Amino acid sequence: TYFPTSRLERTRIMATTLFIILGLTALVIGLLGTIYPALPGLILMFVGAWLLGYADDYATIGGGTLTAIGIFTVIGTATDFIAGMLGAKFTGASKEAVWGSFFGGIAGAFFGIPGLLLGPLLGAAIGEFLARKDAWLAGKVGIGAFIGFILGVVAKVGCAVAILLTLLGVWLYSLF
C-alpha cells in the first residue's frame, strides 16, 4: 500500500478528491435541474464535467469532450428557453401570450411541479385573453405553450442524457 509522504503530495490528492466530489455533485444536481427549471441543470452538468476534467489535468475529459458537452449545453438551454414560446406562437398566439408563456414559466418555477407544468400554460392563456378577449383562443394558446414546454423539457433531458453518455463513453475508453 502506498501512503503519500510529502505534504504537497497529500494536498494534491485531497484537492483532486475534492474536485471529483464537486464534479459528481454538480452532475447529479444538474441532472435534477433538467426537470426542475429553477436550477440551471445543463450548465451545472457542464461545470461538473469541467471539474472532473480538471481533476486529472484533462487527461480523460479533454478539450474535445468539453466542447461537445458545451454544445449539448447550449442547444439544450436554448431549446428550453424558447420551446414554450414557440408552442404558443405555433397556435397563432399574440405577442402578449408569447411573453405570458415565458414569464409564466419563470413564475411557475417557484411553485414546484404543478407550477412548472401550469405556469407557461396559464401565462400564455392570460396574455392571450388580455390581448384579444377570446377565452377559446386563450385556452388553445395555453395548450400550445404547455406542449412547447413539454417538448423543451424532453429536449433538455435528451441533452443531459447525451452529456452523461459522452462522459461514460470517454471514461470507458480511458480504461482500455
Side-chain angles (χ1 to χ4, degrees):
T1 307
Y2 172 75
F3 292 103
T5 55
S6 75
R7 184 176 194 164
L8 178 63
E9 199 171 348
R10 285 192 306 268
T11 304
R12 189 176 309 132
I13 290 171
M14 287 175 27
T16 299
T17 303
L18 178 65
F19 284 126
I20 290 170
I21 290 169
L22 289 174
L24 292 174
T25 302
L27 280 172
V28 169
I29 293 172
L31 188 59
L32 295 174
T34 61
I35 308 283
Y36 191 72
L39 297 172
L42 294 175
I43 294 169
L44 282 172
M45 291 183 79
F46 177 80
V47 168
W50 179 78
L51 286 169
L52 290 173
Y54 184 78
D56 76 341
D57 293 326
Y58 306 104
T60 304
I61 301 170
T65 303
L66 289 174
T67 299
I69 291 171
I71 290 170
F72 290 137
T73 300
V74 168
I75 289 171
T77 302
T79 302
D80 184 44
F81 275 113
I82 63 171
M85 293 170 57
L86 290 178
K89 193 69 176 163
F90 181 74
T91 59
S94 65
K95 182 172 59 170
E96 291 86 351
V98 172
W99 284 108
S101 170
F102 178 74
F103 290 119
I106 292 171
F110 296 103
F111 297 100
I113 299 297
L116 294 176
L117 297 175
L118 297 176
L121 183 149
L122 292 174
I126 290 168
E128 188 64 27
F129 186 75
L130 292 174
R132 297 195 181 147
K133 308 291 189 245
D134 182 352
W136 180 258
L137 184 59
K140 180 180 160 186
V141 166
I143 297 297
F146 177 73
I147 291 170
F149 168 76
I150 295 299
L151 292 175
V153 169
V154 168
K156 190 167 57 166
V157 169
C159 288
V161 169
I163 289 171
L164 290 176
L165 289 175
T166 300
L167 291 172
L168 179 64
V170 166
W171 179 71
L172 288 173
Y173 181 78
S174 73
L175 295 177
F176 297 105

